[in-house]
Amino acid sequence: MATYQDTAQLQHRVRADVCVIGSGIVGLINSIALAKRGLHVVCIDQPTDKQLSSYKVGESLLIFSNAFLRTLGELDDHFNESFEKEGFWMAHGLEGRTDFDETVSEWGFESHIPQSWIDKFENPVFPRALFRDAQIVRPEVEAELRERARKMAGIDLLDRGLVRDIELAEGGGDHLLRWSSRDKREQGEIAARWVVDCSGRHRLLARRFGHDLPLQDDFRTTAAWAQFSGCTDEIFDERWNYRFPDGVVARRDHNTVHLWGDGYWIWLIRLAGDRISVGVTYHRGRPPEEGNAREVFWKVLRRYPLLEWLTEDNVLEFSAYRDVQHLTDTFVSPRRYAMVGDASSIIDAYYSQGISLSMTTSWHIANIAEQDVKQGVLDIPYLEHVNRAATADWRIMRSMVQSKYSPAIADSRFFILDHMLDYLVFGATLLGRFRAVRWLLETDGGYSARETPEQERLRTGLTRRLYLSQSAPWHRVDPQRVAGLIEGWHRGLERRAMWRLENGVQLPPTKAAMRAYSALPALWKLPRVQRMDKADLSLAATKEPEFVTATGKEYRPPVMAVNGTILLTLTSLSTLFDIVDTGVRKARAKGRELRRHRRRVFTLTDPTR
């Protein structure tokens, strides 16, 4: 068999500290981050014209993605011109409805913070990176990042080739990557101490070195989505408005909207330029409609009169993945390679966590690679912690999604409490997110050479805690144990909800909407929702106390330090009520069944009756 060297004359040879495979948003951010650490990076890819011009999926930023892209990616100005995301909004029961009436359960969070909070921050970018999420157009962001990478010292953007083969070095030498252009007219070699795979669903390293981890259950999903033109404010009339108890009006369409049905959900992500990204993702084991992904997409959308304006005529591009989920058993290898983004794992578009988890994993990879290249020290305990915590984060996110694909979503208490558990996980990250933003801004977007001792302290702490599974108050617990506890918590909520549904317990549709300055739902009202005229757990806003504000210079802002503990307490008490209430209902049901059984036995044994 002919070797790569035999097929054509070698034309290019280059040496780098790190070779990044893939020049999508994750590959470009990794390249920029590593270059800011003082490393020489070669980023290799050869996107087609179709890939460069594709509308792709509309991207909703959340948790860590906004912070890293605004600061490390230097996209603050770009995001200020993007469609501002005011929060996230979930609903169930909207099928066949013409508005969000009292038959619809809802859960929402508006992330806008008061101007008085914004004014306290010394750096105006800080509150935007911490709180001001956006809904972005991926190709436009990637084009800007690509130009930044092309001009940046320390990055060679090799955009005319695809990696065909990799030979891993033994010991401390360089890995060897062989590449060629699509037409095979150009080829070459890259010698690199580190390789970071950001090749997306091609999953070059995972497949090459056998890192794919089979899923242990039958939960598989298919996703289909399209971008549409002509999405103007006029389409979203007053039916899309939600009024808080104090009279403040929120526009649901200015949030990332999720509409849940039995075994599926729909996303609505408005974008700049009067465009909107709409997707349908569903459980492959029990699809909501018959047909291929495109047919299911349209049949599901037609269930919603509120979305009747979405037609084939204004489709800009349609895409689908038949099998969305996959997982790698390794994120960072001691053999000096890493896999990030879809090249490592993907769960579901729900909560838009793909890029967010990629940003944090990439930051940890940069720490490990920088120490190895500059100091010759490969920190194995840190590397192992990254693998355990990143895998735990994937498990946590998957458990959030998996539970809601079950029929339990029709139970309004489950709908509220399962989203509350998600809110606990995300809310607990607030302190870590604050510290990450502070480190990023104070190092001018991630230049580690500009660290002061205080910033080094921030980075050291974040190496242990910048994960969903290692936030306070569970940061001292093994990340895999945290993931197991949260998975079990979701399963318990689902199991009790299914019992209620199967035994005819009808709870009223319930709503709970929050704001950054009124950030808790009135879960203490759950025991009496059946007696409420309007089952709405939203609270009126109150004047915020001074201690909830921050300047961006604190190490441990008080409210952020206790946020996770407060949410854990409230979620635990609400779950305890769910356990007790369902247990009492079960006992009563068993008592009724026992009495009926005794009457039947008595009737059969008493000849006079």
Side-chain angles (χ1 to χ4, degrees):
M1 178 181 293
T3 65
Y4 180 89
Q5 295 269 6
D6 296 327
T7 60
Q9 183 180 356
L10 185 66
Q11 296 180 7
H12 303 280
R13 190 188 300 270
V14 66
R15 199 271 166 190
D17 295 318
V18 185
C19 177
V20 175
I21 304 171
S23 62
I25 190 170
V26 175
L28 291 166
I29 279 291
N30 272 269
S31 299
I32 291 169
L34 291 161
K36 286 185 173 183
R37 301 301 186 96
L39 306 183
H40 176 210
V41 180
V42 170
C43 179
I44 180 169
D45 198 1
Q46 191 176 18
T48 64
D49 291 340
K50 182 178 180 181
Q51 288 173 325
L52 292 172
S53 61
S54 170
Y55 289 98
K56 299 188 179 181
V57 65
E59 199 69 55
S60 164
L61 304 184
L62 186 68
I63 307 298
F64 297 114
S65 49
N66 177 62
F68 279 93
L69 290 169
R70 280 189 186 268
T71 55
L72 192 150
E74 301 175 31
L75 291 166
D76 185 52
D77 289 340
H78 184 103
F79 285 3
N80 292 340
E81 301 300 320
S82 298
F83 193 96
E84 184 175 354
K85 172 180 175 174
E86 295 184 358
F88 52 86
W89 206 276
M90 287 70 173
H92 175 269
L94 200 62
E95 277 191 18
R97 313 300 303 176
T98 58
D99 56 35
F100 294 81
D101 59 20
E102 301 310 310
T103 66
V104 179
S105 290
E106 297 185 80
W107 173 272
F109 182 84
E110 295 274 300
S111 56
H112 275 268
I113 61 173
Q115 187 61 43
S116 59
W117 292 16
I118 295 173
D119 293 341
K120 292 287 181 66
F121 285 94
E122 297 180 15
N123 185 337
V125 180
F126 204 120
R128 294 198 292 271
L130 191 58
F131 296 113
R132 190 176 172 184
D133 293 330
Q135 298 180 169
I136 62 173
V137 180
R138 279 276 292 272
E140 295 175 3
V141 168
E142 289 174 353
E144 185 167 333
L145 288 174
R146 190 171 289 109
E147 287 308 305
R148 180 164 292 117
R150 197 182 304 279
K151 298 173 183 177
M152 190 170 181
I155 298 179
D156 289 331
L157 191 58
L158 203 167
D159 56 2
R160 59 187 185 278
L162 302 172
V163 174
R164 308 293 184 179
D165 187 37
I166 301 175
E167 290 184 13
L168 294 181
E170 298 296 335
D174 288 339
H175 306 313
L176 185 65
L177 298 88
R178 299 186 177 95
W179 63 269
S180 68
S181 59
R182 291 184 185 277
D183 60 12
K184 305 296 177 65
R185 293 181 179 178
E186 284 192 271
Q187 61 179 311
E189 293 180 347
I190 302 168
R193 183 168 180 80
W194 276 83
V195 178
V196 179
D197 185 3
C198 305
S199 63
R201 292 177 69 86
H202 294 295
R203 308 190 69 208
L204 187 65
L205 294 188
R207 289 172 175 163
R208 175 71 171 79
F209 301 117
H211 289 297
D212 191 54
L213 192 63
L215 302 177
Q216 299 301 313
D217 54 41
D218 62 355
F219 177 52
R220 305 288 189 278
T221 55
T222 290
W225 66 93
Q227 270 203 42
F228 296 82
S229 61
C231 176
T232 61
D233 283 340
E234 289 71 29
I235 290 171
F236 300 96
D237 55 25
E238 66 280 356
R239 293 175 297 174
W240 289 82
N241 291 343
Y242 173 82
R243 188 175 297 277
F244 285 94
D246 51 16
V248 174
V249 173
R251 291 190 57 174
R252 293 177 176 94
D253 62 292
H254 282 198
N255 294 260
T256 303
V257 180
H258 307 71
L259 307 178
W260 276 103
D262 184 12
Y264 75 89
W265 67 280
I266 298 170
W267 76 70
L268 304 170
I269 302 175
R270 293 190 63 181
L271 303 169
D274 290 340
R275 299 201 301 269
I276 186 169
S277 173
V278 180
V280 175
T281 177
Y282 56 91
H283 196 313
R284 284 174 51 194
R286 44 192 199 92
E289 298 281 358
E290 293 184 355
N292 60 36
R294 189 170 194 133
E295 291 167 340
V296 172
F297 175 82
W298 283 109
K299 288 177 180 178
V300 169
L301 291 186
R302 292 291 73 93
R303 296 182 179 187
Y304 292 81
L306 271 175
L307 305 179
E308 61 185 7
W309 52 275
L310 293 170
T311 67
E312 289 273 13
D313 293 339
N314 59 340
V315 171
L316 297 169
E317 185 174 277
F318 176 87
S319 299
Y321 288 152
R322 182 178 180 273
D323 192 0
V324 174
Q325 300 176 42
H326 58 251
L327 174 64
T328 180
D329 64 4
T330 301
F331 289 83
V332 193
S333 169
R335 298 192 68 183
R336 291 179 280 108
Y337 61 84
M339 293 160 280
V340 196
D342 290 358
S344 62
S345 63
I346 184 172
I347 310 157
D348 191 279
Y350 196 54
Y351 288 124
S352 300
Q353 279 298 290
I355 288 186
S356 183
L357 296 180
S358 298
M359 294 297 105
T360 54
T361 305
S362 299
W363 186 81
H364 293 297
I365 291 169
N367 288 330
I368 294 169
E370 178 186 13
Q371 185 179 23
D372 177 58
V373 172
K374 290 186 175 180
Q375 302 175 25
V377 176
L378 185 58
D379 191 339
I380 298 297
Y382 181 17
L383 183 152
E384 291 174 345
H385 182 64
V386 171
N387 284 327
R388 289 184 62 78
T391 303
D393 286 5
W394 186 90
R395 290 175 57 192
I396 288 170
M397 283 304 310
R398 190 169 188 262
S399 72
M400 289 182 182
V401 176
Q402 184 171 5
S403 60
K404 296 177 185 63
Y405 276 93
S406 80
I409 196 71
D411 179 87
S412 62
R413 187 191 295 165
F414 171 84
F415 181 86
I416 294 297
L417 291 184
D418 209 58
H419 281 106
M420 183 65 197
L421 181 51
D422 302 348
Y423 182 52
L424 159 63
V425 172
F426 294 140
T429 68
L430 188 56
L431 179 60
R433 188 161 32 135
F434 176 90
R435 289 175 173 172
V437 171
R438 185 180 164 193
W439 182 87
L440 287 161
L441 289 176
E442 291 179 3
T443 56
D444 298 324
Y447 287 96
S448 56
R450 301 176 188 178
E451 278 184 335
T452 64
E454 174 68 7
Q455 289 139 22
E456 185 177 2
R457 178 190 177 205
L458 283 168
R459 177 154 64 126
T460 300
L462 289 169
T463 61
R464 296 293 306 172
R465 295 178 59 173
L466 193 62
Y467 311 89
L468 298 177
S469 55
Q470 293 290 269
S471 302
W474 46 73
H475 56 286
R476 291 187 174 88
V477 182
D478 180 83
Q480 292 294 314
R481 179 166 173 76
V482 173
L485 290 170
I486 292 174
E487 287 170 336
W489 203 331
H490 281 291
R491 287 194 299 268
L493 292 171
E494 179 185 347
R495 186 171 58 251
R496 291 186 292 276
M498 289 303 300
W499 183 90
R500 290 192 293 270
L501 291 170
E502 291 166 357
N503 288 273
V505 178
Q506 295 292 326
L507 300 175
T510 307
K511 301 180 187 292
M514 296 159 286
R515 290 161 285 184
Y517 50 93
S518 183
L520 294 175
L523 293 182
W524 49 88
K525 295 182 180 180
L526 278 176
R528 55 189 182 90
V529 292
Q530 288 179 297
R531 300 189 297 274
M532 295 169 66
D533 294 333
K534 184 179 179 181
D536 194 332
L537 308 181
S538 308
L539 294 174
T542 57
K543 181 174 175 55
E544 66 278 2
E546 187 69 23
F547 75 89
V548 306
T549 61
T551 66
K553 292 295 183 182
E554 300 86 352
Y555 183 77
R556 187 179 287 106
V559 73
M560 297 182 188
V562 301
N563 192 56
T565 302
I566 293 171
L567 292 175
L568 177 61
T569 302
L570 181 59
T571 310
S572 298
L573 291 173
S574 303
T575 302
L576 180 61
F577 161 72
D578 184 52
I579 293 170
V580 172
D581 176 73
T582 307
V584 170
R585 292 176 188 271
K586 285 182 178 181
R588 288 175 178 170
K590 287 182 179 179
R592 289 192 295 269
E593 179 60 30
L594 181 59
R595 287 192 294 272
R596 285 194 294 268
H597 176 71
R598 286 176 175 172
R599 283 196 295 269
R600 287 194 298 268
V601 172
F602 182 71
T603 301
L604 292 173
T605 57
D606 187 349
T608 65
R609 295 182 66 88

